[in-house]
Amino acid sequence: MSALSPPPAHPRSPVMLTVSHAQDRAVDIVARARAAGADAADAVYAADAALDVSVRLGALEDVGRSEGADLGLRVFIGQRSASVSTSDLSDDALATLVERAVAMAREAPEDRWAGLAPAERLMHGAPPMLDLDDHGEPEPQALRDLALAAEAAARDVPGVTNSEGAGASASRGVWALATSHGFAGAYATTSYGLSASVVAGEGAGMQRDYGHHAARRRDLLDSPEAIGREAGERAVARVGAGRMDSGAMPVVYDPRVGASLIGHLIGAIGGGAITRRTSFLLDALGTRILPDTLSVRDDPHRPHGLRSRPFDGEGLAVSPTAIVEDGVLETWLLDSAAARQLGLEPTGHAARGIGGAPGVTTGNLYLDGGRLPLDTLLAEVGEGVYVTELIGQGVNGVTGDYSRGAAGFRIRGGELAEPVAGFTIAGNLRDMYRGMTAANDLRFRYGTNVPTLRIDGMTVAGG
């Protein structure tokens, strides 16, 4: 859709569903599965509608509207299970879905660890009030104006020579889970995003960068002027990037890329990696993996958090958790199947998609305990590199070996100096975590938030 007329309303638009209606749909399909012979079942219902507007060089490029609704059903026959999903929610299609799921489960191999979450651990009572839905329905014109303002602010930065465009989006969704052993819950979320991407420099020296922000509530979204300035200033700062020297030196991670280090940690302590014995932290539970000043915390109850939720993907209550406390790894992240296999209790971190068995995820994750002012952290570096972009996926989750392409700025005399690009940073995550120093500039902007991080003694290979 390229015109700015509002998209026509759909008579059965998923965004028109109330939370209670979504919950009823999940409960209904579980009841049908039980009636068809399943010993146990759970179901997920998800519906969403999204509106996206993109502009470039001051002109509208596209307006897009998407809507969808999907239902996933998992059934158990003894210790055999099967999962099916559909976007056809007609009665005939749902009846066929249930029959197919039960038939598949009867033929599936046995899995002694599979099953629903422990009934005594299910969330009961009213869910926490997390302010995840502002009930807004922005018009395409309003999103267009935001995108145009962001791009204009970026293009106004001296040194910006071209634009890759700007975009604004808004969406609303509902998510419901029901199980045959006593849980039914649902909640709604809204999401808003605004971004701009521009180019600075000329010819072979051109560089690009971006600014972006996302929020659950429209009134919490950064101003388009701030997002545009960030995009323009970051792109201009990268012009004239040179080559980095090779050697062992401190590497400082900008918060925008430093969050990936915590992502690698979370991947290594998930139940799947531990039960398969494919984690470089397999023997680390109860031991110090970070400096004793640092902690990694998960807060699924943060009001209007990007990853807040009232319950997990199996119906268990969620709560703030210290994953790493004063440097010590305190817990694995376990769904019920992994917990049974390890002889432990599920931790309330189950993630459930429309199809398949649960996995694990976190809520709003952050690294806490940074004490150094940023200027001090840089001054202690002397000579090193400040990384603003990471390239490639060279991380081995089994050994912890780490190697990523990077770009950023040389640190000279304890201060940021000229831009550099085309180099590689390498190390081992266990050593990197133990050698981590954090600044005191933590801000909550993403699903995973970290302050500026310094890791001493990494290997840098210049281009």
Side-chain angles (χ1 to χ4, degrees):
M1 183 179 299
S2 59
L4 267 182
S5 56
H10 192 291
R12 292 183 303 202
S13 171
V15 291
M16 301 305 292
L17 281 176
T18 65
V19 169
S20 61
H21 190 177
Q23 181 174 309
D24 289 345
R25 284 195 162 177
V27 169
D28 173 69
I29 198 70
V30 168
R32 294 189 190 206
R34 292 281 284 137
D39 295 326
D42 63 3
V44 171
Y45 175 83
D48 64 79
L51 180 63
D52 299 272
V53 175
S54 60
V55 302
R56 183 172 180 270
L57 298 176
L60 179 71
E61 278 207 322
D62 190 37
V63 180
R65 170 92 177 188
S66 63
E67 295 185 352
D70 297 279
L71 187 147
L73 173 66
R74 184 173 59 147
V75 301
F76 296 89
I77 305 291
Q79 292 184 313
R80 306 174 190 270
S81 66
S83 297
V84 293
S85 62
T86 184
S87 56
D88 184 347
L89 304 180
S90 65
D91 283 342
D92 287 346
L94 294 181
T96 301
L97 183 81
V98 169
E99 292 175 3
R100 183 184 305 122
V102 172
M104 289 170 58
R106 295 187 192 281
E107 301 301 323
E110 289 193 352
D111 179 357
R112 61 185 177 132
W113 311 118
L116 300 178
E120 66 275 10
R121 292 287 308 278
L122 295 175
M123 188 190 78
H124 297 289
M129 303 298 290
L130 302 176
D131 193 20
L132 304 180
D133 179 10
D134 71 359
H135 305 281
E137 295 184 13
E139 295 293 332
Q141 290 89 343
L143 296 180
R144 177 201 60 186
D145 292 345
L146 286 173
L148 287 171
E151 187 192 42
R155 295 176 67 196
D156 282 345
V157 174
V160 169
T161 55
N162 205 344
S163 172
E164 293 187 330
S169 63
S171 64
R172 183 175 187 272
V174 293
W175 195 87
L177 170 71
T179 75
S180 60
H181 68 336
F183 178 82
Y187 58 96
T189 61
T190 46
S191 181
Y192 300 86
L194 182 59
S195 64
S197 177
V198 291
V199 176
E202 300 285 353
M206 289 191 299
Q207 295 286 341
R208 64 165 295 278
D209 215 312
Y210 67 95
H212 174 263
H213 190 226
R216 287 292 181 203
R217 298 178 55 92
R218 169 65 185 89
D219 59 358
L220 297 176
L221 198 63
D222 284 356
S223 73
E225 292 77 16
I227 292 169
R229 281 195 304 271
E230 178 187 14
E233 290 170 358
R234 291 182 75 110
V236 170
R238 296 179 63 170
V239 173
R243 296 300 181 183
M244 190 64 199
D245 297 334
S246 297
M249 66 187 72
V251 172
V252 179
Y253 286 75
D254 183 272
R256 198 161 75 169
V257 296
S260 63
L261 295 173
I262 306 305
H264 300 318
L265 188 155
I266 296 304
I269 63 173
I274 302 305
T275 57
R276 292 192 299 269
R277 303 187 65 80
T278 56
S279 168
F280 69 93
L281 293 177
L282 186 63
D283 59 351
L285 189 63
T287 70
R288 191 174 307 282
I289 63 169
L290 295 177
D292 59 13
T293 57
L294 300 181
S295 299
V296 176
R297 305 190 187 280
D298 177 26
D299 184 6
H301 288 168
R302 186 175 181 83
H304 42 257
L306 292 177
R307 294 183 184 170
S308 295
R309 55 181 183 165
F311 50 85
D312 83 346
E314 294 182 305
L316 274 63
V318 295
S319 60
T321 303
I323 295 173
V324 178
E325 183 72 65
D326 298 330
V328 176
L329 179 62
E330 298 286 351
T331 184
W332 304 131
L333 306 182
L334 304 177
D335 59 27
S336 294
R340 280 188 284 266
Q341 189 168 349
L342 295 171
L344 301 171
E345 290 292 317
T347 60
H349 290 91
R352 181 69 189 277
I354 292 298
V360 296
T361 192
T362 55
N364 304 289
L365 198 65
Y366 63 101
L367 187 142
D368 195 21
R371 299 174 180 174
L372 285 180
L374 178 57
D375 288 347
T376 302
L377 183 142
L378 292 173
E380 291 180 352
V381 168
E383 307 294 316
V385 63
Y386 183 91
V387 172
T388 60
E389 182 180 18
L390 292 170
I391 304 164
Q393 302 296 326
V395 180
N396 187 321
V398 179
T399 65
D401 290 337
Y402 178 98
S403 179
R404 303 285 305 271
F409 298 87
R410 186 188 297 271
I411 302 172
R412 192 189 304 278
E415 296 182 349
L416 296 185
E418 68 272 17
V420 288
F423 59 94
T424 301
I425 55 176
N428 183 275
L429 285 168
R430 294 195 74 148
D431 298 331
M432 292 164 63
Y433 291 150
R434 285 192 291 262
M436 183 180 289
T437 302
N440 63 356
D441 58 349
L442 175 66
R443 296 175 62 203
F444 289 89
R445 291 181 54 81
Y446 312 108
T448 300
N449 295 280
V450 300
T452 304
L453 300 174
R454 188 185 79 218
I455 298 177
D456 296 329
M458 293 189 68
T459 299
V460 175

